[in-house]
Amino acid sequence: MSFCSVVEIAGEVRAGHVTARAVTEATLSRVARLDGGINAFTAVTADRALARADAVDADLAASRPVGPLAGVPFAVKNLFDIEGLPTLAGSKIRREAAPPAHDATLVERLTAAGAILIGALNMDEFAYGFVTENAHDGPVRNPHDPTRIAGGSSGGSAGAVAAGLVPLTLGSDTNGSIRIPASLCGVFGLKPTYGRLSRQGVFPFVESLDHVGPFARSVEDLALAYDVLQGADPQGDTICVREAEPLSDRLEALADQPLRVGVLGGWFQQGAFPEVLEALGRVAVALKADDIVQLAGAQAARAAAFSLTAFEGGELHHDDLAARAMDYDPAVRDRLLAGALLPEGVHKAAQRYRTIFRDEVREAFQRYDILLAPSSVCPAPPIGQATMEMDGVPVSVRKNLGAFTQPISYIGLPVLAAPVNRPGQLPIGVQIIAPAWREDLAFAAAARLQRAGVVAAHPPKGAL
């Protein structure tokens, strides 16, 4: 069942064709056998998983309700709290932290829906990166080519789904950390509207920009997980106040609704590799998107997002940097230290510009329901590659993989990252961007593209 879908697994378990324990044992065996070549997991919660699977099976035997995700294995980026397991956030210094007494809200919601937690996943230290070449836990290797990166900072989350280790994971996205690894690993990922999903029990990075969301291998799986994850958080996360707006039962109808679609040009295509633009073009043709939309403020929005990230990250880590700077990954430490030196005026200016750029994008959404853009500037670079060429100019890989994602994070819009159907080639994804709180429009476009065969997640070549 390694590449079975979330929908298939839950249906088979509920129908009694397979037990949750059998699914869990097979998943644990696959992780033990294959993760050494991927390095997606930093911890496996085998005892918890088997106990939870037995509880699901007992509920089924007693005709008690088990939830829409009955028996579905999942794993979470290691900045989500897992009861009894230190929340590493990809770092060295948090290995000594006291384990949390409770799961993060989203872990609780998946578990209550019948899903089985398998473990915690590798990531860039403190979510500050786009590559998941972790200095303490090693790099996550792209299942489609183990010599290449999986992207970041949720590289373990995307890599685990792409490799068929689990069909569902959770990650976080501050500047592109769901969309970039989804693109590079060829899976679906969702960055919902800022504040849509609870961040309770998730280690923070940049309060102004942090989002959380799921990864899966189909639009249906992503939608089912999204439905379960939604809802106001009664545990006190004041950001998450939106009531649930389920959409998985409406996917077919959504795919048939008319959509006005524009393609972001200018900044959002500058320096993109030719194969990225070709993939974007295929999606645009399928959605009958002929209009190029220019957002004049995109480059400034990206700069403002950089400033917010540096300032708030430096402020958050100020005390640990003063006490234990040498325990940080040098690449992360240096950027946090630089951010800690920024004057508060930079942060205030970056926050003010958000209103200007949000108004510009809101005007575009008067004319379009959906905007399209590449998720990453290129397919996955090799592990350890420091620079790449954009428009013939050598630039930093770490700093520029998020060139097309950061302006969208800056104003908190929902984005569904979808892998373009390119079997046998390195994956490339597109961003399907919707207005705030209109995730349904992004799912409508993705469902239509999947039905037409334009977007799809494929097992890696030679997958077992």
Side-chain angles (χ1 to χ4, degrees):
M1 301 186 74
S2 56
F3 286 95
C4 287
S5 73
V6 169
V7 173
E8 290 169 337
I9 293 171
E12 292 292 291
V13 170
R14 284 198 303 270
H17 297 156
V18 66
T19 64
R21 186 178 182 95
V23 173
T24 302
E25 288 177 338
T27 300
L28 291 170
S29 175
R30 184 171 175 83
V31 170
R33 185 163 40 97
L34 298 180
D35 188 52
I38 304 297
N39 197 34
F41 280 81
T42 55
V44 175
T45 53
D47 291 343
R48 168 177 168 154
L50 292 169
R52 180 61 190 146
D54 288 342
V56 170
D57 289 334
D59 285 341
L60 282 165
S63 298
R64 292 188 291 266
V66 292
L69 299 179
V72 173
F74 77 101
V76 300
K77 191 173 182 176
N78 70 27
L79 49 60
F80 285 80
D81 283 353
I82 296 172
E83 180 183 352
L85 194 69
T87 305
L88 300 183
S91 71
K92 176 181 178 181
I93 63 175
R94 288 195 54 80
R95 281 153 215 257
E96 304 161 12
H102 304 283
D103 291 342
T105 292
L106 297 192
V107 177
E108 289 180 346
R109 288 181 176 173
L110 290 176
T111 302
I116 312 295
L117 180 68
I118 300 298
L121 298 164
N122 202 351
M123 58 179 284
D124 282 296
E125 184 178 76
F126 291 119
Y128 208 167
F130 291 130
V131 295
T132 315
E133 295 186 56
N134 188 285
H136 317 295
D137 294 307
V140 176
R141 298 183 177 277
N142 193 311
H144 294 272
D145 180 348
T147 69
R148 295 177 181 271
I149 67 170
S153 62
S154 306
S157 301
V161 171
L165 302 180
V166 287
L168 175 66
T169 60
L170 295 181
S172 69
D173 189 311
T174 301
N175 285 297
S177 291
I178 287 174
R179 291 159 288 163
I180 291 166
S183 176
L184 302 190
C185 289
V187 297
F188 292 86
L190 177 67
K191 181 195 82 65
T193 306
Y194 179 81
R196 168 72 83 172
L197 300 184
S198 173
R199 302 185 311 197
Q200 189 278 329
V202 180
F203 194 85
F205 177 25
V206 181
E207 197 282 334
S208 297
L209 302 174
D210 287 347
H211 303 64
V212 287
F215 292 83
R217 288 193 293 268
S218 73
V219 177
E220 293 82 3
D221 287 359
L222 201 68
L224 186 56
Y226 173 59
D227 284 358
V228 167
L229 295 168
Q230 289 185 64
D233 186 353
Q235 299 189 52
D237 185 342
T238 55
I239 292 174
C240 185
V241 297
R242 192 88 170 189
E243 294 302 323
E245 299 174 53
L247 53 74
S248 58
D249 289 342
R250 298 187 287 130
L251 277 181
E252 282 298 315
L254 287 171
D256 290 330
Q257 72 179 55
L259 291 172
R260 301 169 300 162
V261 184
V263 181
L264 291 178
W267 174 260
F268 292 94
Q269 297 187 30
Q270 185 175 317
F273 284 33
E275 56 266 49
V276 170
L277 296 179
E278 188 274 335
L280 177 66
R282 286 177 56 195
V283 172
V285 168
L287 292 176
K288 298 180 171 57
D290 298 320
D291 294 350
I292 300 297
V293 181
Q294 304 290 346
L295 297 178
Q299 186 170 3
R302 187 198 182 208
F306 261 127
S307 298
L308 288 176
T309 301
F311 182 90
E312 292 187 24
E315 188 174 60
L316 177 68
H317 289 275
H318 180 275
D319 292 346
D320 283 335
L321 286 168
R324 302 184 58 178
M326 299 311 293
D327 287 332
Y328 282 76
D329 176 347
V332 172
R333 179 190 64 224
D334 293 349
R335 283 177 289 164
L336 289 173
L337 285 170
L341 296 174
L342 287 174
E344 189 171 354
V346 170
H347 183 261
K348 290 180 178 178
Q351 291 284 25
R352 283 196 303 270
Y353 187 71
R354 182 180 267 164
T355 301
I356 298 171
F357 187 59
R358 184 181 285 124
D359 287 346
E360 181 184 0
V361 177
R362 186 179 291 121
E363 193 278 330
F365 278 125
Q366 297 299 311
R367 294 174 285 128
Y368 303 100
D369 301 305
I370 289 294
L371 298 173
L372 301 175
S375 291
S376 60
V377 301
C378 61
I383 291 171
Q385 179 175 306
T387 63
M388 60 184 176
E389 284 196 0
M390 292 178 65
D391 288 337
V393 178
V395 299
S396 167
V397 169
R398 289 176 181 260
K399 292 180 181 178
N400 288 281
L401 280 176
F404 304 148
T405 56
Q406 285 181 281
I408 307 305
S409 303
Y410 178 57
I411 52 174
L413 296 180
V415 186
L416 196 156
V420 178
N421 192 353
R422 291 163 45 89
Q425 302 178 73
L426 286 175
I428 292 172
V430 294
Q431 295 184 83
I432 303 172
I433 306 161
W437 311 112
R438 294 304 308 273
E439 286 84 354
D440 60 311
L441 293 174
F443 273 97
R448 182 181 302 178
L449 290 165
Q450 181 179 260
R451 189 167 63 189
V454 178
V455 300
H458 293 281
K461 288 184 292 185
L464 299 178

